[in-house]
């Protein structure tokens, strides 16, 4: 049975797979997304909070970040900005329950590749990730 | 049966994350409905047809087990998969005993969920197919195979309904080709024995020397050639029905042995002393006048009275001429469906001619005629001229225009001559006194095929 990967336990691996950082405070959603992404050949690291995600991001290289906007503590937008400071061209997929707010907001996350409206399906997630990965 | 459109899955869980997780996994493949409580779920179940329910064991306003039972009462064919945390597995197992299909443990493995749902849907579809086919078979088997609107036949249908659940023996009498075996099968299929065997014992076809072994079976070494132990037909028919066709063909010796089985409900295999108990409903048939045979000492009176608990007399076709048209169309439809040529019929003149015919071979003869004529004739409407090669149509040639009547006669005559010489055109032309080419030309014009 798949068990969630704790951010601090991750070892650096050069498996050749694309690496994704998945940030969502809902454990169930995160678990399912992880399974699907792994099934599609991605290496997935998860985090349930923005602060932890930023720490992990500083520590490791990721090809893509999937970021939930509605995080407790530091929100997804601030999290994205912090990550941009570290790596300006980091690819980000935003997931939100209310994408119209995200798009019309004054400080929209710049250079985000895709916005996923929750609830999204597996195919929508994989499509968004593939598109984002494709633009490198 | 839900074969082409998406199956509908209802997810019932108070945790939003769980609902969203299932939604993400399933929405691409199925139609997914979500509800956060027992009450919401029930509102959906009352309005929509749901194929699968993913049901949380612990809901805020209801017990998952209660909902499971209510769902099964409402529609036993809705599959329920319990969703449970590890600590609730005992309850989940209990749920399966109450009718749930499976359980899923949270957090779940996506592949496992998809597999379980797929299997549940397969099971559901199979059950629906079986229900449908059984229903068709019931309708088709009982009503379509015994076709009849004549009041004598309707009386027989009523009689079958009223006697089917008794264990009393049935004696079916009727001329050859009237459908005695069909009636016997109807008695069996309408009874509580329908899920058990219906065994046919053709008393006319089995040699007298082998009949005892055929009925009772034998043990290895019982006689020369008995190389293994064999179950007899009566043993095979246990809890079901034994149909003894042409029972008048049993010799007096066998009649006595059969009488004992009917009375004592037990028998021994040939070569063995071991008593085998039997629970068989006996249905017998004969096209002979059994009371007459009793008088002549060829049939046992006591056996007759044992079998004649429920007598059914099937009238010959000439006593129910009103059914001829029904039967003609019925067999023509069957034939047409098999050949992919729907919409064929008999002309009014043909039906009238065939209704006046006496049908010595009864329904079997009628069925054979339809098969023959429908195969040979290419037209959608089968007319009197197509019957002209048969003796049935002969007397109605006088109602035809002269040219048609001459052609009909010529066709029939040439066909009969060809049949008599095995379709040798040389010999046929010699008999007919015409040149071979003339014969060939007439065959083509009249539509005579070899």
């Amino acid at each position: 049975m798949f068990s969630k990967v704790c951010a601090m336990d991750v070892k650096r691996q050069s498996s050749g797979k694309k690496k994704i950082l998945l940030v969502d405070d809902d454990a169930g959603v995160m678990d399912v997304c992880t399974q699907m992404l792994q099934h599609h050949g991605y290496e997935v690291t998860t985090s349930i909070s923005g602060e932890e995600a930023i720490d992990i991001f500083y520590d490791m290289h990721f090809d893509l970040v999937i970021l939930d906007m509605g995080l407790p503590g530091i929100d997804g937008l601030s999290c994205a900005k912090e990550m941009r400071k570290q790596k300006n061209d980091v690819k980000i997929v935003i997931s939100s329950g209310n994408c119209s707010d995200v798009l019309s907001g004054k400080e929209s996350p710049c250079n985000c590749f895709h916005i996923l409206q929750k609830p999204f399906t597996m195919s929508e997630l994989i499509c968004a990730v593939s598109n984002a990965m494709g633009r490198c | 049966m839900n074969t082409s459109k998406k199956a509908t899955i209802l997810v019932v869980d108070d945790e939003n994350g769980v609902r969203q997780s299932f939604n993400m996994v399933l929405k691409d493949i199925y139609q997914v409905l979500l509800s956060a409580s027992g009450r919401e779920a029930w509102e959906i179940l009352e309005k929509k047809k749901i194929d699968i329910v993913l049901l949380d064991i612990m809901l805020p306003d209801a017990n998952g087990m209660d909902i499971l039972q209510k769902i099964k009462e409402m529609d036993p064919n809705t599959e329920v998969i319990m969703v449970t945390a590890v600590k609730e597995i005992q309850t989940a197992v209990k749920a399966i005993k109450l009718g749930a299909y499976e359980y899923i443990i949270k957090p779940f493995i996506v592949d496992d969920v998809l597999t379980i749902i797929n299997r549940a849907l397969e099971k559901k579809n199979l059950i629906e197919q079986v229900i449908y086919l059984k229903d068709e078979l019931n309708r088709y088997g009982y009503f379509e195979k015994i076709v009849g609107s004549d009041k004598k036949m309707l009386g027989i249908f009523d009689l079958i309904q009223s006697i089917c659940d008794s264990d009393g023996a049935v004696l079916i009498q009727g001329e050859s080709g009237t459908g005695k075996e069909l009636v016997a099968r109807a008695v069996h299929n309408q009874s509580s024995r329908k899920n058990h065997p219906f065994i046919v014992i053709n008393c006319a076809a089995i040699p007298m020397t082998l009949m005892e072994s055929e009925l009772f079976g034998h043990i290895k070494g019982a006689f020369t050639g008995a190389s293994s132990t064999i179950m007899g037909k009566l043993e095979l028919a246990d809890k079901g029905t034994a149909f003894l066709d042409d029972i008048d063909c049993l010799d007096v010796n066998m009649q006595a042995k059969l009488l004992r089985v009917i009375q004592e409900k037990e028998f021994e295999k040939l070569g063995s002393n071991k008593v085998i108990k039997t629970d068989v409903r006996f249905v017998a048939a004969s096209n002979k006048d059994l009371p007459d045979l009793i008088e002549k000492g060829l049939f046992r009176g006591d056996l007759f009275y044992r079998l004649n608990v429920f007598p059914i007399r099937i009238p010959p076709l000439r006593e129910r001429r009103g059914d001829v048209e029904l039967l003609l169309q019925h067999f023509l439809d069957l034939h047409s469906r098999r050949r992919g040529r729907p919409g064929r019929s008999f002309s009014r003149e043909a039906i009238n001619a065939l209704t006046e015919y006496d049908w010595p071979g009864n329904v079997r003869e009628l069925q054979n005629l339809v098969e023959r004529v429908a195969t040979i004739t290419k037209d959608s409407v089968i007319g009197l001229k197509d019957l002209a090669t048969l003796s049935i149509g002969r007397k109605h040639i006088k109602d035809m225009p002269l040219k048609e009547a001459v052609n009909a006669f010529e066709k029939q005559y040439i066909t009969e001559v060809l049949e008599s010489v095995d379709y040798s055109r040389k010999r046929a032309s010699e008999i007919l006194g015409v040149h071979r080419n003339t014969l060939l030309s007439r065959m083509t014009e009249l539509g005579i095929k070899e």
Side-chain angles (χ1 to χ4, degrees):
Chain A
M1 186 167 160
F2 174 75
S3 54
K4 281 200 291 279
V5 176
C6 172
M8 296 307 165
D9 292 335
V10 169
K11 295 187 179 111
R12 283 198 174 90
Q13 295 173 26
S14 53
S15 61
K17 294 183 181 180
K18 297 280 188 191
K19 294 177 178 48
I20 297 178
L21 174 60
L22 174 60
V23 190
D24 199 307
D25 63 326
D26 190 312
V29 169
M30 193 152 60
D31 185 51
V32 166
C33 290
T34 304
Q35 289 184 49
M36 294 309 294
L37 290 167
Q38 285 178 334
H39 182 73
H40 280 81
Y42 299 108
E43 198 178 298
V44 182
T45 305
T46 60
S47 174
I48 56 167
S49 75
E51 291 88 348
E52 189 188 61
I54 290 166
D55 283 341
I56 297 168
F57 187 77
Y58 283 156
D59 196 38
M60 293 166 66
H61 160 76
F62 290 100
D63 297 288
L64 179 76
V65 179
I66 303 174
L67 198 52
D68 181 27
M69 283 288 103
L71 292 170
I74 177 173
D75 65 54
L77 201 54
S78 311
C79 193
K81 280 184 179 173
E82 274 303 311
M83 288 177 182
R84 287 273 176 223
K85 282 182 193 165
Q86 170 72 9
K87 191 171 179 242
N88 188 48
D89 61 349
V90 62
K91 297 180 194 119
I92 298 176
V93 172
I94 302 290
S95 69
S96 172
N98 202 335
C99 285
S100 53
D101 279 356
V102 172
L103 290 169
S104 63
K106 289 178 187 170
E107 295 178 273
S108 58
C110 48
N111 292 341
C112 72
F113 279 85
H114 203 90
I115 296 176
L116 272 173
Q117 169 78 53
K118 276 187 168 182
F120 48 81
T121 64
M122 286 297 103
S123 57
E124 285 166 355
L125 170 68
I126 300 303
C127 189
V129 166
S130 303
N131 283 342
M133 291 292 192
R135 298 183 197 179
C136 31
Chain B
M1 283 184 289
N2 195 358
T3 51
S4 55
K5 58 183 182 130
K6 284 185 181 182
T8 304
I9 300 180
L10 171 63
V11 179
V12 189
D13 201 301
D14 59 325
E15 287 180 60
N16 184 50
V18 173
R19 293 198 300 276
Q20 294 312 322
S21 306
F22 277 122
N23 195 40
M24 284 160 68
V25 170
L26 302 173
K27 206 169 167 197
D28 283 328
I29 314 167
Y30 306 108
Q31 189 189 12
V32 182
L33 302 172
L34 306 173
S35 64
S37 67
R39 188 187 50 83
E40 256 181 55
W42 203 247
E43 277 170 21
I44 295 172
L45 282 160
E46 280 178 334
K47 289 193 196 119
K48 289 186 183 289
K49 185 168 184 338
I50 304 292
D51 296 295
I52 308 261
V53 180
L54 292 171
L55 178 60
D56 188 9
I57 279 184
M58 301 295 290
L59 289 165
D61 64 338
N63 183 317
M65 305 287 268
D66 292 338
I67 298 183
L68 163 66
Q69 284 184 288
K70 277 171 81 177
I71 292 172
K72 283 304 195 180
E73 272 164 33
M74 186 172 76
D75 182 0
N77 213 24
T78 301
E79 294 300 341
V80 180
I81 298 168
M82 307 307 285
V83 180
T84 172
V86 174
K87 61 183 188 304
E88 295 156 345
I89 282 189
Q90 294 261 24
T91 318
V93 169
K94 202 169 133 194
I96 292 181
K97 291 182 186 176
L98 289 174
Y101 178 75
E102 248 297 359
Y103 63 85
I104 292 169
I105 303 174
K106 301 188 275 196
F108 56 81
I109 297 179
V110 170
D111 280 346
D112 289 353
V113 167
L114 292 173
T115 302
I116 288 170
I117 287 175
N118 209 30
R119 276 201 273 116
L121 284 171
E122 263 177 27
K123 178 194 165 192
K124 190 174 183 304
N125 281 339
L126 277 171
I127 290 174
E128 281 175 1
Q129 271 188 49
V130 167
I131 292 170
Y132 167 73
L133 287 170
K134 268 190 175 169
D135 198 54
E136 281 285 280
L137 212 62
N138 257 342
R139 240 181 344 107
Y140 188 87
Y142 180 60
F143 293 110
E144 285 202 41
K145 281 191 177 176
I146 311 178
V147 172
S149 61
D150 184 277
K151 65 175 187 217
K152 288 177 189 157
M153 292 309 293
L154 296 179
I156 288 176
F157 298 154
D158 284 339
L159 184 57
I160 291 171
Q161 292 273 37
S162 57
I163 68 174
C164 57
D165 272 326
S166 160
D167 271 343
V170 180
L171 181 59
I172 304 169
Q173 294 201 267
E175 289 181 9
S176 181
T178 47
K180 296 189 285 297
E181 185 173 327
L182 282 178
V183 167
R185 282 186 186 274
V187 169
H188 174 78
N189 290 337
Q190 292 296 307
S191 73
S192 53
R193 292 175 180 266
K194 64 181 178 221
N195 294 323
H196 296 285
F198 176 86
I199 301 291
V200 178
I201 301 145
N202 195 327
C203 301
I206 301 163
M208 277 192 291
T209 46
L210 296 178
M211 179 58 80
E212 196 170 346
S213 170
E214 185 77 9
L215 269 182
F216 306 130
H218 61 253
I219 60 166
K220 185 176 170 183
F223 50 83
T224 312
S227 53
S228 56
T229 298
I230 301 284
M231 276 171 84
K233 294 267 168 88
L234 290 184
E235 207 175 340
L236 291 171
D238 190 42
K239 296 188 184 48
T241 305
F243 173 55
L244 295 137
D245 200 4
D246 290 319
I247 192 155
D248 50 276
C249 293
L250 278 184
D251 70 26
V252 186
N253 241 345
M254 270 318 303
Q255 289 176 32
K257 291 181 175 160
L258 179 64
L259 176 63
R260 189 189 153 239
V261 177
I262 297 172
Q263 285 175 168
E264 310 300 326
K265 298 191 191 318
E266 62 183 40
F267 61 91
E268 295 99 28
K269 273 187 167 63
L270 215 54
S272 164
N273 290 329
K274 184 178 162 197
V275 167
I276 301 172
K277 294 278 179 203
T278 179
D279 171 18
V280 172
R281 204 248 181 103
F282 287 95
V283 178
S286 176
N287 58 15
K288 303 283 192 298
D289 182 351
L290 289 178
D292 183 53
L293 293 183
I294 294 170
E295 268 185 39
K296 291 176 179 158
L298 296 171
F299 201 83
R300 289 182 68 117
D302 45 5
L303 177 60
F304 173 79
Y305 290 114
R306 274 283 171 187
L307 293 170
N308 202 35
V309 177
F310 296 117
I312 298 180
R313 186 193 164 259
I314 307 178
L317 195 47
R318 62 183 176 281
E319 286 183 22
R320 51 174 185 125
R321 290 182 194 272
D323 284 341
V324 170
E325 183 172 351
L326 210 63
L327 285 160
L328 286 171
Q329 196 57 54
H330 165 68
F331 287 119
L332 186 57
D333 286 344
L334 283 182
H335 180 274
S336 304
R337 269 206 297 271
R338 276 201 311 270
R339 304 293 171 100
R341 285 195 62 192
R344 299 184 78 190
S345 60
F346 282 90
S347 71
R348 180 44 50 192
E349 295 78 22
I351 291 171
N352 290 344
L354 293 169
T355 302
E356 282 187 42
Y357 180 58
D358 279 346
W359 300 104
N362 293 289
V363 180
R364 189 182 293 124
E365 185 186 356
L366 185 150
Q367 185 180 5
N368 288 346
L369 175 134
V370 172
E371 187 69 31
R372 204 156 62 241
V373 161
T375 304
I376 294 169
T377 311
K378 299 305 166 200
D379 301 330
S380 291
V381 179
I382 298 170
L384 208 52
K385 61 176 171 47
D386 302 306
L387 304 177
T389 53
L390 311 166
S391 58
I392 293 154
R394 216 178 266 164
K395 67 173 187 173
H396 291 276
I397 288 177
K398 65 176 168 51
D399 298 322
M400 288 180 183
L402 177 63
K403 190 174 175 190
E404 227 178 288
V406 168
N407 283 345
F409 174 76
E410 197 179 337
K411 183 177 180 180
Q412 182 194 330
Y413 183 57
I414 292 174
T415 305
E416 281 176 8
V417 170
L418 282 165
E419 280 174 0
S420 71
V421 294
D422 228 8
Y423 280 86
S424 160
R425 274 185 253 146
K426 179 173 182 276
R427 282 158 52 206
S429 60
E430 283 165 7
I431 293 169
L432 292 166
V434 298
H435 194 272
R436 243 192 332 212
N437 290 345
T438 307
L439 172 61
L440 196 56
S441 161
R442 289 313 286 150
M443 281 172 68
T444 308
E445 281 169 34
L446 295 168
I448 299 170
K449 292 183 174 55
E450 290 162 286

